[in-house]
Amino acid sequence: MRSLVATSGTASGASGRGLRLLVRLACARPLVTVLLGVLGAVAALTYTVRQLGFVTSGRDLLPHGQPFVQREQEYSDDFPRLDQLVVAVEADDVARSKAYARRLAQELRKDRDTFAHVTYRIDPGRFRGRELLYLSRHDLADLADDVVDHRRFLTAFAARPTLDELVDGLRTEVVTAFVRNAFDLGLDDADANVDLGAARDVLDQISTRLDRRVPYRSPWRSLFSLKRGDGDAGYFLSDDERLLFVLVEARREHGSFTAYRDAIGPLRAAMARVQTEFPGVRAGLTGAPVLSNDQMAAAFRDSKRATVLAFVLTFAVLAVAFRGRGMPIVLLAVLALSLCWSLGIVTLVVGHLSIFSVMFLSIVVGLGTDYGVYLLLRNAEEIALGRPAREALEVTAMRAGPGMLGGALAAAGAFYVLMATDFPGIQELGFISGTSVIVAWFAMMTLLPALVLLVKSRRDASDVPRRDGGQTRVRFVDAMTHRPRLVLALAGVATALSVFALHGVRFDYNLLNLQARGTESVDWEERILRAAGRSSFVALSTAGSLDELRERAAAFEGLASVSEVESVLSLIPPEQAAKAQVLAELAPVVEAVAVGPPETVDAGRLLVALRTLQRRLDFAADEAPAGHDRDQVVSLRDQTAGLVRRLERADPAAVAPALLPLQDRLRGDLAHTLRRLKQNLHPTPIALDDVPPQLRRRFVGRSGRFLLQIQPKVDIWDRAGAEQFVGELRTVDPDVTGTPVIGFETTRYMERAYKQGTLYAFLLVGVLTALTIRRARETALAMIALGLGTLWTAGLMFLFGLPFNLGNLFGFPLVVGAGAEFGVNVVLRYVEGREHGGPLLPRGTFLAVLFNGLTTVVGFGSLMIAAHRGIFGLGLLLTLGMIATLGASLIVLPVLLGWAEPRVTVEPTAVEQWRPARGAVSDEAA
């Protein structure tokens, strides 16, 4: 619709005369016109460089009037520590991860201006003497029962902490285990099988120490339900202890390219320096701010690369179209100037670019050249008729200009339709791209004619079509129109398959799948999700008091779709009074146990104790029925017998020194464990004031409200999972927000906006098509071809495995607007051929539509080099859409036109060679 190589009289009229006047004014002083255009571009570009900003916050691109967006903004203001940078550290040995974290924290704390707070551990000393309050009542009751059950054993070994006393105690525990059919020592399990692993471990350490020193393994920790040693206390570790997290609170720089770029760069540099000191340790940076930063940086980088590629590929297509380099260079120069003008307008009106609108340059490169191509091709026809250069340009503007204007309005209108959505980011893309299309059209109607006059003072055979004036028939089109049934049958099959495939085009709700491939932050976010079942994307709620916080947290935790709720209550345990009562009842038992002084190893008594244990195990093996329990006993008996044989052969003088370190470690370990237990028997309550400052800053807002972060148990990137999660959360708090809620609602709004946008684009294009063609039947056929191309696009999406997502959802309205011109130009030339004779679709029009389609394809296709998967998907969708609509217009539409109205033989109108007119060229002479 943007132009036609030859138009019917229906496209002329007031608009044609106005466009002719515009070109006449631009060509009156061509050098002045070009200089003004260049000066305007320089001024616009200078203003842009100084004033243009970049929006990096996804919040700024969301519908501001929605409650879930407003609530998220309020939470962000009240809890400024929500946006933390997360360093995930992974190593084969957790001790190396801790060392790396300590060293990194030292490096970052040197730069307080950039990194306000660095946290990787909560000081456990704050809660010394109150650790057991963090056990559940059930676990605490189990601990008390274990201590009571093993009181005799503990008392005996504590009074005389020797290896032979320990083996005697194990013998007693074996008997007790078979009486209860469960061997305790902290190893009770849900099944009823006997587990003698702890006993085997003690015997194994005794046997191994006879030969060499080995790392000590404590038998007491599980007994007292103290599963994590002092060395792990307070560290931010994943459940499997494979990942250690360092939380970095950076100072946000609002004036930078991305809000946290000035912190993310130095942080990654510090991580790289520390990495050299810890080979084998793997560390990565992620978190919501980092994901946003990497996404914007990738989009900006991709935009520059795609724009350059679009210019290069467009030049290549134009060089083939014009069979030379002169006119393509002129055309791209005009386009570049128009883009500078557009950037100035964008800076003045909008003031910034976003993750959506940063790609408008590549889009406009493909669209903007079309108007110039049509103008130059039609101008070549007028030159071939013998018209002088200036008059040829004016006649071209009058005859082809209305079609070019209609095409520009259709393409711009498809973008402006996006402004009807609720999303500022998409609204801005619509305004920026639509305005840029109009500006490109204006440049092609003013600057391009002026430049043509300057650079082509004489006819140049290298950059114009052949001298037939574009009137030659196209064999391909003739072949299609002579086989209408076959073409329409194939089109029908393609359409039916596309309609069927439309149901198979899925919607990908996963926001991580939009990020750049191979991005560190995305890789580590996914790794954390797999290893720890946690994510940076959590739902948010608040409470006004601790009582409300407890009530709301309990309600959230009771939901089937919630895995965990984090709040300040994580460090304020519930039921403290009841737990203190359990500990008070346990106090007399534990306080009565006193560890005796160290003793030497008595090898003889140890051998006697082991022989006694062996006999008991022989008896148990004979009495036990076949099965797991008997296998356990036989294994421990054989191990005991082997140790007895070794001690019988060993030199008693060598046994004692070899085993003394183990005996001393067992005594010291028990003494330390009992001391910790005794320290926790009379705890003072843990209150809000006891919560470390770094967690208070995170979970207690400036207003005094308490934050809840709700981790999903379901897959929130799946529509059903997200719907369940958000729906259940709103039964507890209707105002819940956070990324899962915003993502769910955003997807709903964008799906609706996409459907409305596609409908509005069809209506708008239909109106403009009718105004341009002014014939009902031909207008309907042009719209049918556009509809076929749009449906085929859906089929191609299925074929290429391209899903809908939040990155390409608005691509269909753009396909409608950008692809409309192909069919309309074919129809207009058909109307002219029918009225004046000549080919149905002459070579000039066919090539004009074809090459303009190709420039649009390469412009959109340049987006496919993007590492950002959302931008890649948009580029692929638009490319497939242009190919489909171009194919429908050049293959199916000519057949439909010939079939719908049989051709009437008309004697071709003789083309009258140009004769100079007196004075200025009149409209009639043109």
Side-chain angles (χ1 to χ4, degrees):
M1 192 186 300
R2 298 170 199 153
S3 173
L4 39 144
V5 174
T7 66
S8 70
T10 61
S12 301
S15 60
R17 290 190 295 272
L19 293 172
R20 177 176 186 170
L21 179 60
L22 177 64
V23 171
R24 180 180 295 171
L25 291 174
C27 294
R29 297 286 188 273
L31 183 59
V32 174
T33 300
V34 172
L35 288 177
L36 288 176
V38 172
L39 290 176
V42 171
L45 193 59
T46 302
Y47 177 67
T48 298
V49 170
R50 293 179 177 178
Q51 300 296 327
L52 185 64
F54 295 89
V55 170
T56 60
S57 172
R59 186 185 305 117
D60 295 331
L61 305 177
L62 298 173
H64 296 156
Q66 296 302 319
F68 59 89
V69 177
Q70 295 175 343
R71 188 71 63 188
E72 204 271 344
Q73 177 65 58
E74 293 171 5
Y75 288 178
S76 181
D77 294 338
D78 199 14
F79 302 90
R81 276 80 183 182
L82 276 176
D83 293 334
Q84 289 185 318
L85 315 182
V86 179
V87 179
V89 186
E90 183 179 37
D92 296 333
D93 181 5
V94 71
R96 289 183 57 76
S97 297
K98 297 174 189 174
Y100 177 96
R102 284 193 294 271
R103 183 70 184 88
L104 179 62
Q106 292 172 359
E107 282 290 307
L108 299 181
R109 285 166 182 161
K110 295 177 183 177
D111 188 2
R112 294 287 185 181
D113 293 336
T114 303
F115 306 108
H117 301 282
V118 182
T119 309
Y120 61 91
R121 186 189 189 194
I122 297 173
D123 182 10
R126 285 179 158 272
F127 306 100
R128 186 158 293 131
R130 299 181 284 184
E131 294 98 323
L132 294 183
L133 292 177
Y134 288 99
L135 295 177
S136 67
R137 285 187 66 181
H138 179 270
D139 290 341
L140 189 59
D142 287 346
L143 169 63
D145 292 342
D146 287 342
V147 172
V148 171
D149 290 343
H150 298 293
R151 177 170 50 183
R152 282 177 106 186
F153 169 67
L154 291 173
T155 302
F157 180 77
R160 185 173 174 273
T162 61
L163 290 177
D164 58 276
E165 189 66 42
L166 177 62
V167 172
D168 277 338
L170 290 177
R171 173 177 49 82
T172 303
E173 290 296 316
V174 168
V175 174
T176 305
F178 278 96
V179 171
R180 298 196 316 257
N181 197 29
F183 182 63
D184 279 340
L185 198 59
L187 297 174
D188 287 345
D189 217 341
D191 55 31
N193 292 328
V194 174
D195 188 350
L196 304 177
R200 286 201 304 271
D201 186 56
V202 170
L203 297 182
D204 180 66
Q205 290 194 69
I206 294 173
S207 177
T208 307
R209 292 267 181 162
L210 292 174
D211 298 325
R212 64 186 187 281
R213 300 193 62 145
V214 293
Y216 170 74
R217 301 185 297 275
S218 173
W220 315 118
R221 199 167 295 152
S222 59
L223 172 64
F224 294 104
S225 300
L226 302 174
K227 297 182 180 179
R228 182 172 292 170
D230 289 342
D232 290 335
Y235 284 95
F236 299 157
L237 292 165
S238 60
D239 292 339
D240 59 5
E241 299 188 14
R242 293 184 57 191
L243 297 176
L244 186 150
F245 303 104
V246 181
L247 306 181
V248 180
E249 183 183 323
R251 302 189 189 279
R252 183 170 179 171
E253 298 292 339
H254 292 279
S256 66
F257 169 62
T258 61
Y260 288 95
R261 185 183 65 171
D262 293 344
I264 291 173
L267 176 53
R268 282 182 165 144
M271 292 170 61
R273 290 195 302 271
V274 175
Q275 192 92 39
T276 60
E277 304 175 21
F278 296 89
V281 175
R282 300 165 294 281
L285 184 61
T286 188
V290 187
L291 289 167
S292 292
N293 172 86
D294 290 351
Q295 178 175 245
M296 190 63 194
F300 188 72
R301 181 177 63 250
D302 292 340
S303 174
K304 292 189 291 185
R305 294 167 54 197
T307 301
V308 172
L309 181 62
F311 267 100
V312 171
L313 294 179
T314 301
F315 174 80
V317 173
L318 294 176
V320 173
F322 289 98
R323 301 184 181 183
R325 292 172 295 179
M327 280 299 103
I329 292 175
V330 171
L331 195 58
L332 291 179
V334 172
L335 179 63
L337 292 176
S338 78
L339 290 176
C340 292
W341 298 352
S342 298
L343 284 171
I345 295 173
V346 169
T347 305
L348 179 65
V349 178
V350 181
H352 58 256
L353 293 177
S354 69
I355 184 67
F356 289 107
S357 58
V358 74
M359 304 309 271
F360 87 96
L361 291 173
S362 300
I363 294 175
V364 175
V365 168
L367 292 173
T369 55
D370 291 6
Y371 317 120
V373 171
Y374 280 124
L375 185 141
L376 292 175
L377 288 175
R378 180 55 188 263
N379 181 67
E381 288 191 26
E382 298 300 329
I383 291 291
L385 294 176
R387 298 186 188 276
R390 191 183 303 271
E391 183 180 346
L393 288 168
E394 292 183 20
V395 172
T396 296
M398 186 180 68
R399 293 183 175 175
M404 293 170 58
L405 177 60
L409 292 176
F415 283 108
Y416 285 141
V417 161
L418 300 179
M419 297 179 64
T421 67
D422 296 324
F423 292 83
I426 298 179
Q427 291 173 352
E428 291 169 3
L429 172 65
F431 172 79
I432 291 171
S433 298
T435 301
S436 299
V437 167
I438 296 298
V439 170
W441 167 85
F442 180 77
M444 297 302 170
M445 294 298 295
T446 54
L447 274 183
L448 182 59
L451 271 173
V452 168
L453 287 181
L454 291 177
V455 302
K456 294 182 72 67
S457 58
R458 60 183 179 84
R459 291 173 60 189
D460 183 353
S462 66
D463 277 358
V464 296
R466 298 299 92 195
R467 291 303 179 262
D468 55 31
Q471 298 290 330
T472 306
R473 303 178 70 92
V474 181
R475 293 181 181 177
F476 173 77
V477 174
D478 290 342
M480 294 298 102
T481 54
H482 290 156
R483 298 171 178 84
R485 288 182 175 81
L486 175 62
V487 172
L488 295 180
L490 292 176
V493 171
T495 303
L497 291 176
S498 297
V499 171
F500 177 78
L502 184 60
H503 299 285
V505 180
R506 64 185 180 88
F507 197 105
D508 186 357
Y509 296 92
N510 194 335
L511 296 177
L512 293 179
N513 290 341
L514 300 181
Q515 299 278 354
R517 293 183 291 263
T519 303
E520 176 195 38
S521 56
V522 177
D523 291 344
W524 278 92
E525 180 71 23
E526 293 176 340
R527 187 179 303 188
I528 292 171
L529 190 60
R530 290 192 301 269
R534 302 174 62 83
S535 171
S536 300
F537 303 108
V538 296
L540 304 174
S541 180
T542 61
S545 66
L546 284 176
D547 290 339
E548 183 186 2
L549 180 63
R550 289 191 182 94
E551 179 181 348
R552 184 160 289 185
F556 281 131
E557 289 170 346
L559 299 176
S561 59
V562 173
S563 66
E564 183 181 0
V565 178
E566 294 180 327
S567 70
V568 73
L569 293 179
S570 301
L571 291 179
I572 305 178
E575 303 179 297
Q576 295 188 55
K579 295 174 184 177
Q581 180 63 32
V582 173
L583 292 172
E585 295 172 357
L586 182 63
V589 177
V590 177
E591 290 173 345
V593 180
V595 179
E599 297 190 20
T600 59
V601 175
D602 189 329
R605 296 186 65 167
L606 175 59
L607 183 58
V608 171
L610 287 169
R611 287 170 177 166
T612 304
L613 174 61
Q614 182 182 353
R615 288 194 298 272
R616 287 295 180 93
L617 292 173
D618 285 335
F619 174 77
D622 293 338
E623 295 295 325
H628 174 271
D629 291 354
R630 189 177 186 282
D631 294 340
Q632 289 271 301
V633 172
V634 171
S635 175
L636 181 61
R637 180 196 63 188
D638 294 342
Q639 185 179 8
T640 305
L643 181 56
V644 167
R645 288 193 295 272
R646 291 198 62 188
L647 286 175
E648 288 174 343
R649 295 194 301 266
D651 181 3
V655 170
L659 298 180
L660 182 60
L662 174 61
Q663 180 173 283
D664 288 343
R665 286 296 302 273
L666 287 166
R667 175 193 172 277
D669 187 13
L670 177 62
H672 176 70
T673 302
L674 285 172
R675 185 164 57 251
R676 285 186 61 199
L677 185 57
K678 291 176 181 179
Q679 290 172 349
N680 281 268
L681 293 175
H682 304 287
T684 58
I686 299 173
L688 181 60
D689 291 340
D690 296 309
V691 177
Q694 58 266 40
L695 289 187
R696 275 206 308 271
R697 288 193 300 268
R698 181 179 178 185
F699 290 112
V700 182
R702 292 168 173 169
S703 64
R705 294 187 65 84
F706 301 98
L707 179 71
L708 298 95
Q709 293 184 328
I710 308 150
Q711 289 277 352
K713 183 185 294 183
V714 296
D715 182 5
I716 60 173
W717 307 122
D718 175 75
R719 180 60 176 267
E723 193 167 5
Q724 178 190 359
F725 184 58
V726 175
E728 290 184 357
L729 293 182
R730 284 176 171 167
T731 63
V732 178
D733 178 10
D735 294 326
V736 68
T737 186
T739 301
V741 179
I742 291 175
F744 173 71
E745 293 291 353
T746 296
T747 301
R748 290 177 57 199
Y749 276 97
M750 290 190 70
E751 281 183 304
R752 186 174 64 189
Y754 139 72
K755 295 174 182 177
Q756 293 174 346
T758 303
L759 176 62
Y760 294 159
F762 259 108
L763 293 176
L764 177 63
V765 168
V767 171
L768 291 172
T769 300
L771 291 175
T772 303
I773 298 176
R774 301 183 186 181
R775 284 174 170 81
R777 180 164 45 201
E778 285 75 8
T779 298
L781 293 177
M783 294 304 296
I784 288 174
L786 180 61
L788 290 177
T790 306
L791 282 175
W792 295 353
T793 302
L796 290 173
M797 288 181 66
F798 178 80
L799 186 64
F800 281 81
L802 175 64
F804 284 114
N805 55 51
L806 295 185
N808 64 24
L809 195 58
F810 52 87
F812 261 88
L814 305 187
V815 169
V816 172
E821 62 140 309
F822 306 136
V824 174
N825 281 290
V826 170
V827 170
L828 286 172
R829 191 57 188 256
Y830 166 81
V831 172
E832 182 174 355
R834 185 181 60 189
E835 292 180 352
H836 302 291
L840 175 69
L841 185 60
R843 180 176 179 274
T845 301
F846 182 87
L847 291 180
V849 173
L850 176 62
F851 283 116
N852 279 302
L854 292 178
T855 59
T856 306
V857 167
V858 299
F860 289 158
S862 67
L863 298 176
M864 294 169 58
I865 68 168
H868 189 281
R869 285 175 283 184
I871 295 173
F872 169 85
L874 175 61
L876 179 56
L877 172 58
L878 294 176
T879 300
L880 296 176
M882 289 301 96
I883 293 173
T885 52
L886 182 62
S889 299
L890 291 180
I891 299 175
V892 179
L893 183 55
V895 174
L896 289 175
L897 289 168
W899 224 30
E901 181 176 350
R903 293 288 305 275
V904 177
T905 303
V906 178
E907 289 297 325
T909 302
V911 177
E912 183 179 352
Q913 292 294 318
W914 173 83
R915 294 193 302 270
R918 297 179 182 178
V921 180
S922 66
D923 291 351
E924 290 76 8

